[in-house]
Coordinates of all heavy atoms in Angstrom, one line a residue:
Y1 N 0.9 -1.2 0.0 CA 0.0 -0.1 0.0 C 0.8 1.3 0.0 O 1.9 1.3 0.7 CB -0.9 0.0 1.2 CG -1.8 -1.2 1.4 CD1 -1.5 -2.2 2.2 CD2 -3.0 -1.2 0.6 CE1 -2.4 -3.2 2.3 CE2 -3.9 -2.3 0.7 CZ -3.6 -3.3 1.6 OH -4.4 -4.3 1.7
T2 N 0.6 2.2 -0.8 CA 1.3 3.4 -0.8 C 0.3 4.6 -1.0 O -0.8 4.5 -1.5 CB 2.2 3.5 -2.0 OG1 1.6 3.4 -3.2 CG2 3.3 2.4 -1.9
F3 N 0.7 5.7 -0.5 CA 0.0 7.0 -0.6 C 0.9 8.0 -1.2 O 2.1 8.1 -0.9 CB -0.5 7.5 0.7 CG -1.7 6.9 1.3 CD1 -1.7 6.2 2.5 CD2 -2.9 7.0 0.7 CE1 -2.9 5.7 3.0 CE2 -4.1 6.4 1.1 CZ -4.0 5.8 2.3
A4 N 0.3 8.8 -2.2 CA 1.1 9.9 -2.7 C 0.9 11.1 -1.7 O -0.3 11.6 -1.6 CB 0.6 10.2 -4.1
I5 N 1.9 11.5 -1.1 CA 1.7 12.6 -0.1 C 2.0 14.0 -0.7 O 3.1 14.2 -1.3 CB 2.8 12.4 1.1 CG1 2.5 11.1 1.8 CG2 2.7 13.6 2.1 CD1 3.5 10.7 2.9
R6 N 1.0 14.8 -0.8 CA 1.2 16.1 -1.3 C 1.5 17.2 -0.3 O 2.2 18.1 -0.6 CB -0.2 16.4 -2.1 CG -0.5 15.6 -3.3 CD -1.7 16.0 -4.0 NE -2.0 15.1 -5.1 CZ -2.5 13.9 -5.1 NH1 -3.0 13.4 -4.0 NH2 -2.7 13.3 -6.2
N7 N 0.9 17.0 0.9 CA 1.2 18.0 1.9 C 2.0 17.3 3.1 O 1.7 16.1 3.4 CB -0.1 18.5 2.5 CG -0.8 19.3 1.4 OD1 -0.2 20.0 0.6 ND2 -2.1 19.1 1.4
R8 N 2.9 17.9 3.7 CA 3.6 17.4 4.8 C 2.8 17.6 6.1 O 2.3 18.8 6.3 CB 5.0 17.9 4.9 CG 5.9 17.5 3.8 CD 6.3 16.1 3.9 NE 7.1 15.7 2.9 CZ 7.4 14.5 2.6 NH1 6.9 13.5 3.3 NH2 8.1 14.2 1.5
V9 N 2.7 16.6 6.9 CA 2.1 16.8 8.2 C 3.1 16.7 9.3 O 4.0 15.8 9.3 CB 1.0 15.7 8.4 CG1 0.4 15.7 9.7 CG2 0.0 15.7 7.3
T10 N 3.1 17.7 10.2 CA 4.0 17.6 11.3 C 3.2 17.4 12.6 O 2.2 18.0 12.7 CB 4.9 18.9 11.4 OG1 4.1 20.0 11.5 CG2 5.7 19.0 10.2
V11 N 3.8 16.7 13.6 CA 3.1 16.4 14.7 C 4.0 16.6 15.9 O 5.2 16.2 15.9 CB 2.6 14.9 14.8 CG1 2.0 14.6 16.2 CG2 1.7 14.6 13.7
N12 N 3.6 17.3 16.9 CA 4.3 17.5 18.2 C 3.9 16.4 19.1 O 2.9 16.5 19.8 CB 4.0 18.9 18.8 CG 4.9 19.2 20.0 OD1 5.5 18.3 20.5 ND2 4.8 20.4 20.5
W13 N 4.6 15.3 19.1 CA 4.3 14.1 19.8 C 4.2 14.3 21.3 O 3.6 13.6 22.0 CB 5.2 12.9 19.4 CG 4.9 12.5 18.0 CD1 5.7 12.7 16.9 CD2 3.8 11.8 17.5 NE1 5.2 12.1 15.8 CE2 4.0 11.6 16.2 CE3 2.6 11.4 18.1 CZ2 3.1 10.9 15.4 CZ3 1.7 10.7 17.4 CH2 1.9 10.5 16.0
E14 N 5.0 15.3 21.8 CA 5.0 15.6 23.3 C 3.6 16.0 23.8 O 3.3 15.9 24.9 CB 6.1 16.6 23.6 CG 7.5 16.0 23.4 CD 8.6 17.0 23.6 OE1 8.3 18.1 24.1 OE2 9.8 16.7 23.3
Q15 N 2.9 16.6 22.9 CA 1.5 17.1 23.2 C 0.4 16.2 22.9 O -0.7 16.4 23.2 CB 1.3 18.5 22.5 CG 2.2 19.6 23.0 CD 1.8 20.9 22.4 OE1 1.0 21.0 21.4 NE2 2.5 22.0 22.8
V16 N 0.7 15.1 22.3 CA -0.3 14.1 21.9 C -0.5 13.1 23.1 O 0.4 12.5 23.6 CB 0.0 13.3 20.7 CG1 -1.0 12.2 20.4 CG2 0.2 14.3 19.5
A17 N -1.8 13.0 23.6 CA -2.0 12.1 24.7 C -1.9 10.6 24.2 O -2.1 10.3 23.1 CB -3.4 12.3 25.2
T18 N -1.5 9.8 25.1 CA -1.3 8.4 24.9 C -2.6 7.7 24.7 O -3.5 7.9 25.6 CB -0.5 7.7 26.0 OG1 0.9 8.3 26.1 CG2 -0.2 6.2 25.7
V19 N -2.8 6.9 23.7 CA -4.0 6.1 23.5 C -3.6 4.7 23.5 O -2.8 4.2 22.8 CB -4.7 6.5 22.1 CG1 -5.9 5.6 21.9 CG2 -5.0 8.0 22.0
T20 N -4.3 4.0 24.4 CA -4.1 2.5 24.5 C -5.2 1.8 23.8 O -6.4 2.0 24.2 CB -3.9 2.1 25.9 OG1 -2.9 2.8 26.5 CG2 -3.6 0.6 26.0
I21 N -4.9 1.0 22.8 CA -6.0 0.2 22.2 C -5.9 -1.2 22.5 O -4.9 -1.8 22.3 CB -5.9 0.4 20.6 CG1 -6.0 1.9 20.2 CG2 -7.0 -0.4 20.0 CD1 -5.8 2.2 18.8
D22 N -6.9 -1.7 23.3 CA -6.8 -3.1 23.7 C -8.1 -3.8 23.2 O -9.2 -3.6 23.7 CB -6.8 -3.1 25.3 CG -6.7 -4.5 25.8 OD1 -6.7 -5.5 24.9 OD2 -6.7 -4.7 27.0
P23 N -7.9 -4.6 22.2 CA -9.1 -5.3 21.6 C -9.9 -6.2 22.6 O -11.0 -6.6 22.3 CB -8.6 -6.1 20.4 CG -7.1 -6.3 20.7 CD -6.7 -5.1 21.5
M24 N -9.2 -6.5 23.7 CA -9.9 -7.4 24.7 C -10.7 -6.5 25.7 O -11.5 -7.0 26.5 CB -8.9 -8.1 25.5 CG -8.0 -9.0 24.6 SD -8.9 -10.0 23.4 CE -9.6 -11.2 24.4
N25 N -10.7 -5.2 25.5 CA -11.4 -4.3 26.4 C -12.7 -3.7 25.7 O -13.2 -2.6 26.1 CB -10.6 -3.2 27.0 CG -10.0 -3.6 28.3 OD1 -10.5 -4.5 28.9 ND2 -9.0 -2.9 28.7
I26 N -13.0 -4.2 24.6 CA -14.2 -3.6 23.9 C -15.3 -4.7 23.9 O -15.0 -5.9 23.9 CB -13.9 -3.1 22.5 CG1 -13.4 -4.3 21.6 CG2 -13.0 -2.0 22.4 CD1 -13.3 -4.0 20.1
P27 N -16.6 -4.4 23.9 CA -17.6 -5.4 24.0 C -17.6 -6.2 22.6 O -17.5 -5.5 21.6 CB -18.9 -4.7 24.3 CG -18.6 -3.3 23.8 CD -17.2 -3.0 24.0
P28 N -17.8 -7.5 22.7 CA -17.9 -8.2 21.4 C -19.2 -8.1 20.7 O -19.3 -8.2 19.5 CB -17.7 -9.7 21.9 CG -18.2 -9.7 23.3 CD -17.8 -8.4 23.8
E29 N -20.2 -7.6 21.4 CA -21.5 -7.2 20.8 C -22.2 -6.2 21.5 O -21.9 -6.0 22.8 CB -22.4 -8.5 20.6 CG -22.7 -9.2 22.0 CD -23.4 -10.5 21.8 OE1 -23.1 -11.2 20.8 OE2 -24.2 -10.8 22.7
V30 N -23.0 -5.5 21.0 CA -23.8 -4.4 21.6 C -25.3 -4.5 21.1 O -25.6 -5.1 20.1 CB -23.3 -3.0 21.3 CG1 -21.9 -2.8 21.8 CG2 -23.3 -2.7 19.7
E31 N -26.2 -4.0 21.9 CA -27.5 -4.0 21.6 C -27.9 -2.5 21.3 O -27.6 -1.6 22.1 CB -28.4 -4.5 22.8 CG -29.9 -4.5 22.5 CD -30.7 -5.3 23.5 OE1 -30.1 -5.9 24.5 OE2 -31.9 -5.2 23.4
M32 N -28.6 -2.3 20.1 CA -28.9 -0.9 19.8 C -30.4 -0.8 19.6 O -31.1 -1.7 19.3 CB -28.2 -0.6 18.4 CG -26.8 -0.8 18.4 SD -26.1 -0.5 16.7 CE -26.8 -1.9 15.9
K33 N -30.8 0.4 19.9 CA -32.3 0.7 19.8 C -32.5 2.1 19.4 O -31.7 3.0 19.8 CB -32.9 0.4 21.2 CG -34.4 0.6 21.1 CD -35.1 0.2 22.4 CE -36.6 0.3 22.3 NZ -37.3 -0.1 23.6
G34 N -33.4 2.4 18.5 CA -33.7 3.7 18.1 C -34.3 4.6 19.2 O -34.9 4.1 20.1
L35 N -34.0 5.9 19.1 CA -34.6 6.7 20.1 C -36.0 7.1 19.8 O -36.4 7.3 18.6 CB -33.7 8.0 20.2 CG -32.3 7.9 20.7 CD1 -31.5 9.1 20.6 CD2 -32.4 7.5 22.2
N36 N -36.8 7.3 20.8 CA -38.2 7.7 20.6 C -38.3 9.1 21.2 O -37.5 9.5 22.1 CB -39.2 6.8 21.4 CG -39.2 5.4 20.8 OD1 -39.3 5.2 19.6 ND2 -39.1 4.4 21.6
V37 N -39.2 9.8 20.8 CA -39.5 11.2 21.3 C -40.7 11.2 22.2 O -41.7 10.7 21.8 CB -39.6 12.2 20.2 CG1 -39.9 13.6 20.7 CG2 -38.5 12.3 19.2
T38 N -40.5 11.6 23.4 CA -41.6 11.7 24.4 C -42.5 12.8 24.1 O -42.3 13.7 23.2 CB -41.1 11.7 25.8 OG1 -40.5 13.1 26.0 CG2 -40.1 10.7 26.2
E39 N -43.7 12.8 24.8 CA -44.6 13.9 24.6 C -44.0 15.2 25.0 O -44.5 16.3 24.5 CB -45.9 13.6 25.5 CG -46.8 12.5 25.0 CD -47.9 12.3 25.9 OE1 -48.3 13.1 26.7 OE2 -48.6 11.2 25.7
A40 N -43.0 15.2 25.8 CA -42.4 16.5 26.3 C -41.3 16.9 25.2 O -40.7 17.9 25.4 CB -41.7 16.4 27.6
G41 N -41.1 16.0 24.2 CA -40.1 16.4 23.2 C -38.7 15.9 23.5 O -37.7 16.3 22.8
R42 N -38.5 15.0 24.5 CA -37.2 14.6 24.9 C -37.0 13.1 24.3 O -37.9 12.4 24.0 CB -37.1 14.4 26.4 CG -37.2 15.8 27.1 CD -37.0 15.7 28.5 NE -37.1 17.0 29.1 CZ -36.9 17.3 30.4 NH1 -36.7 16.3 31.2 NH2 -37.0 18.5 30.8
L43 N -35.7 12.9 24.1 CA -35.4 11.5 23.5 C -35.4 10.5 24.6 O -35.0 10.8 25.8 CB -34.0 11.6 22.9 CG -33.9 12.6 21.7 CD1 -32.5 12.6 21.2 CD2 -34.8 12.1 20.5
S44 N -35.9 9.3 24.2 CA -36.0 8.2 25.3 C -35.7 6.9 24.6 O -36.1 6.7 23.4 CB -37.3 8.2 25.9 OG -37.5 7.0 26.6
F45 N -35.1 5.9 25.3 CA -34.9 4.6 24.8 C -36.1 3.7 25.0 O -36.2 2.6 24.4 CB -33.7 4.0 25.4 CG -32.4 4.4 24.8 CD1 -31.5 5.2 25.7 CD2 -32.0 4.1 23.5 CE1 -30.3 5.7 25.1 CE2 -30.8 4.6 23.0 CZ -29.9 5.4 23.8
S46 N -37.0 4.1 25.9 CA -38.1 3.3 26.1 C -39.1 3.4 25.0 O -39.2 4.4 24.3 CB -38.8 3.7 27.5 OG -39.3 5.0 27.4
G47 N -40.0 2.4 24.9 CA -41.0 2.5 23.8 C -41.0 1.1 23.1 O -40.3 0.2 23.5
T48 N -41.8 1.1 22.0 CA -42.0 -0.2 21.3 C -41.0 -0.4 20.1 O -41.1 -1.3 19.4 CB -43.4 -0.2 20.8 OG1 -43.5 1.0 19.9 CG2 -44.4 -0.1 21.9
S49 N -40.1 0.5 19.9 CA -39.2 0.3 18.8 C -38.3 -1.0 19.0 O -38.0 -1.4 20.1 CB -38.3 1.5 18.6 OG -37.4 1.7 19.6
R50 N -38.0 -1.5 17.9 CA -37.2 -2.8 17.9 C -35.7 -2.5 18.3 O -35.1 -1.5 18.0 CB -37.3 -3.3 16.5 CG -36.5 -4.6 16.2 CD -36.6 -5.0 14.8 NE -35.4 -4.7 14.1 CZ -35.2 -4.3 12.9 NH1 -36.2 -4.1 12.1 NH2 -34.0 -4.2 12.4
S51 N -35.2 -3.5 19.0 CA -33.7 -3.4 19.3 C -33.0 -4.4 18.4 O -33.5 -5.4 18.1 CB -33.5 -3.8 20.8 OG -33.8 -5.0 21.1
D52 N -31.8 -4.0 18.0 CA -30.9 -4.8 17.2 C -29.7 -5.1 17.9 O -29.2 -4.3 18.7 CB -30.6 -4.0 15.8 CG -31.8 -3.8 15.0 OD1 -32.6 -4.8 14.9 OD2 -32.0 -2.7 14.5
Q53 N -29.0 -6.2 17.5 CA -27.7 -6.5 18.0 C -26.7 -6.4 16.9 O -26.8 -6.7 15.8 CB -27.7 -7.9 18.5 CG -28.5 -8.1 19.8 CD -27.8 -9.0 20.8 OE1 -27.0 -9.8 20.4 NE2 -28.3 -8.9 22.0
A54 N -25.5 -5.8 17.3 CA -24.4 -5.7 16.4 C -23.2 -6.5 17.0 O -22.9 -6.4 18.2 CB -24.0 -4.3 16.2
S55 N -22.5 -7.2 16.2 CA -21.3 -8.0 16.6 C -20.1 -7.7 15.8 O -20.3 -7.3 14.5 CB -21.7 -9.4 16.5 OG -20.6 -10.2 16.7
L56 N -18.9 -7.8 16.3 CA -17.7 -7.7 15.5 C -17.2 -9.0 14.9 O -16.2 -9.0 14.2 CB -16.6 -7.2 16.5 CG -16.7 -5.7 17.0 CD1 -15.7 -5.5 18.1 CD2 -16.7 -4.8 15.9
E57 N -17.9 -10.0 15.0 CA -17.5 -11.4 14.6 C -17.2 -11.4 13.1 O -16.2 -11.7 12.6 CB -18.5 -12.4 14.9 CG -18.1 -13.8 14.5 CD -19.2 -14.8 14.9 OE1 -20.0 -14.6 15.7 OE2 -19.0 -15.9 14.3
K58 N -18.2 -10.8 12.3 CA -18.0 -10.8 10.8 C -16.9 -9.9 10.4 O -16.1 -10.3 9.5 CB -19.3 -10.4 10.2 CG -19.3 -10.4 8.7 CD -20.6 -9.9 8.1 CE -20.6 -9.9 6.6 NZ -21.8 -9.3 6.1
F59 N -16.7 -8.8 11.1 CA -15.6 -7.8 10.8 C -14.3 -8.5 11.1 O -13.4 -8.4 10.3 CB -15.8 -6.5 11.6 CG -14.6 -5.6 11.5 CD1 -14.5 -4.9 10.4 CD2 -13.7 -5.6 12.5 CE1 -13.4 -4.0 10.3 CE2 -12.6 -4.8 12.4 CZ -12.5 -3.9 11.3
R60 N -14.2 -9.1 12.2 CA -12.9 -9.8 12.6 C -12.5 -10.9 11.7 O -11.4 -11.2 11.4 CB -13.0 -10.3 14.0 CG -13.0 -9.1 15.0 CD -13.1 -9.6 16.5 NE -12.9 -8.5 17.4 CZ -13.3 -8.5 18.7 NH1 -13.9 -9.6 19.1 NH2 -13.0 -7.5 19.4
R61 N -13.5 -11.7 11.2 CA -13.2 -12.7 10.2 C -12.7 -12.2 8.9 O -12.0 -12.9 8.2 CB -14.4 -13.6 10.0 CG -14.7 -14.6 11.1 CD -15.8 -15.6 10.7 NE -16.9 -14.8 10.1 CZ -18.2 -15.0 10.3 NH1 -18.5 -16.1 11.0 NH2 -19.1 -14.2 9.9
S62 N -13.2 -11.0 8.5 CA -12.9 -10.5 7.2 C -11.6 -9.6 7.0 O -11.3 -9.2 5.9 CB -14.1 -9.7 6.6 OG -14.3 -8.6 7.4
K63 N -11.0 -9.3 8.1 CA -9.9 -8.4 8.2 C -8.6 -9.1 8.7 O -8.7 -9.8 9.7 CB -10.1 -7.1 9.0 CG -11.3 -6.3 8.6 CD -11.0 -5.5 7.5 CE -12.1 -4.6 7.0 NZ -11.8 -3.8 6.0
R64 N -7.5 -8.8 8.1 CA -6.2 -9.2 8.7 C -5.7 -8.1 9.6 O -6.1 -7.0 9.4 CB -5.2 -9.3 7.5 CG -5.5 -10.4 6.5 CD -4.3 -10.5 5.5 NE -3.6 -9.3 5.4 CZ -3.3 -8.8 4.2 NH1 -3.6 -9.4 3.1 NH2 -2.6 -7.6 4.2
V65 N -4.9 -8.5 10.6 CA -4.4 -7.5 11.5 C -3.7 -6.4 10.9 O -3.8 -5.2 11.2 CB -3.5 -8.3 12.6 CG1 -2.9 -7.2 13.5 CG2 -4.4 -9.2 13.4
Q66 N -2.8 -6.8 9.9 CA -2.1 -5.7 9.2 C -3.0 -4.7 8.5 O -2.7 -3.6 8.4 CB -1.1 -6.5 8.1 CG -0.1 -7.3 8.7 CD -0.6 -8.8 8.8 OE1 -1.8 -9.0 8.8 NE2 0.3 -9.7 9.0
E67 N -4.1 -5.2 8.0 CA -5.0 -4.3 7.3 C -5.7 -3.3 8.3 O -5.8 -2.1 8.0 CB -6.1 -5.1 6.6 CG -7.1 -4.3 5.8 CD -8.1 -5.1 5.0 OE1 -8.1 -6.4 5.2 OE2 -8.9 -4.5 4.3
I68 N -6.0 -3.8 9.4 CA -6.6 -2.9 10.5 C -5.6 -1.9 10.9 O -5.9 -0.8 11.1 CB -7.1 -3.8 11.7 CG1 -8.3 -4.7 11.2 CG2 -7.5 -2.9 12.8 CD1 -8.7 -5.7 12.2
V69 N -4.3 -2.3 11.1 CA -3.3 -1.4 11.6 C -3.0 -0.3 10.5 O -2.9 0.9 10.8 CB -1.9 -2.2 11.9 CG1 -0.8 -1.2 12.1 CG2 -2.1 -3.1 13.1
F70 N -3.0 -0.7 9.2 CA -2.8 0.2 8.1 C -3.9 1.3 8.1 O -3.8 2.4 8.0 CB -2.8 -0.5 6.8 CG -2.5 0.4 5.6 CD1 -1.2 0.9 5.4 CD2 -3.6 0.8 4.8 CE1 -1.1 1.7 4.3 CE2 -3.4 1.6 3.8 CZ -2.1 2.1 3.5
D71 N -5.2 0.8 8.3 CA -6.4 1.7 8.3 C -6.3 2.6 9.5 O -6.7 3.8 9.3 CB -7.7 0.9 8.3 CG -7.9 0.1 7.0 OD1 -7.3 0.5 5.9 OD2 -8.8 -0.8 7.0
L72 N -6.0 2.1 10.6 CA -5.9 3.0 11.8 C -4.8 4.1 11.6 O -5.0 5.2 12.0 CB -5.6 2.2 13.1 CG -6.7 1.3 13.7 CD1 -6.2 0.5 14.8 CD2 -7.7 2.3 14.2
A73 N -3.6 3.7 11.1 CA -2.6 4.6 10.9 C -3.0 5.7 9.9 O -2.8 6.9 10.0 CB -1.3 3.9 10.4
G74 N -3.8 5.3 8.8 CA -4.2 6.2 7.8 C -5.2 7.2 8.3 O -5.2 8.3 8.1
G75 N -6.0 6.7 9.3 CA -7.1 7.6 10.0 C -6.4 8.6 10.9 O -6.9 9.7 11.0
L76 N -5.3 8.2 11.6 CA -4.7 9.0 12.5 C -3.9 10.2 11.7 O -3.8 11.3 12.2 CB -3.7 8.3 13.3 CG -4.3 7.4 14.4 CD1 -3.3 6.5 15.1 CD2 -5.1 8.2 15.5
V77 N -3.3 9.8 10.6 CA -2.5 10.8 9.8 C -3.5 11.7 9.1 O -3.4 12.9 9.1 CB -1.7 10.1 8.7 CG1 -1.1 11.1 7.8 CG2 -0.6 9.4 9.4

């Protein structure tokens, strides 16, 4: 993989906070539900809307570790 760099990016690493990424510290699945609006106009999770589950299983099977690292590095730059 290569990128043609047109602009130079400089980073003062001393001012960048340390970020620890631990794949064992993220939930393997989450439950999602759409927000409803109450009579008062406030958002609420309660109500009759359907809840869905999202999982990382399919994503993890389709990606190599090197590809994920490359994508993360590209996003940070």
Side-chain angles (χ1 to χ4, degrees):
Y1 299 102
T2 61
F3 277 120
I5 300 174
R6 292 182 179 84
N7 298 320
R8 292 286 177 196
V9 176
T10 59
V11 177
N12 183 349
W13 291 107
E14 293 175 8
Q15 293 184 352
V16 175
T18 302
V19 176
T20 303
I21 300 173
D22 183 0
M24 303 313 287
N25 267 345
I26 59 173
E29 59 187 33
V30 294
E31 187 173 347
M32 301 177 295
K33 185 173 182 181
L35 292 171
N36 294 315
V37 180
T38 66
E39 290 179 10
R42 296 185 180 182
L43 295 175
S44 171
F45 282 112
S46 63
T48 59
S49 66
R50 177 181 107 213
S51 64
D52 295 316
Q53 291 219 339
S55 171
L56 291 173
E57 183 180 344
K58 183 178 177 182
F59 173 80
R60 288 178 173 163
R61 280 189 311 218
S62 69
K63 299 283 185 179
R64 296 185 333 228
V65 172
Q66 296 90 341
E67 185 178 359
I68 295 170
V69 169
F70 182 80
D71 289 344
L72 284 171
L76 289 171
V77 171

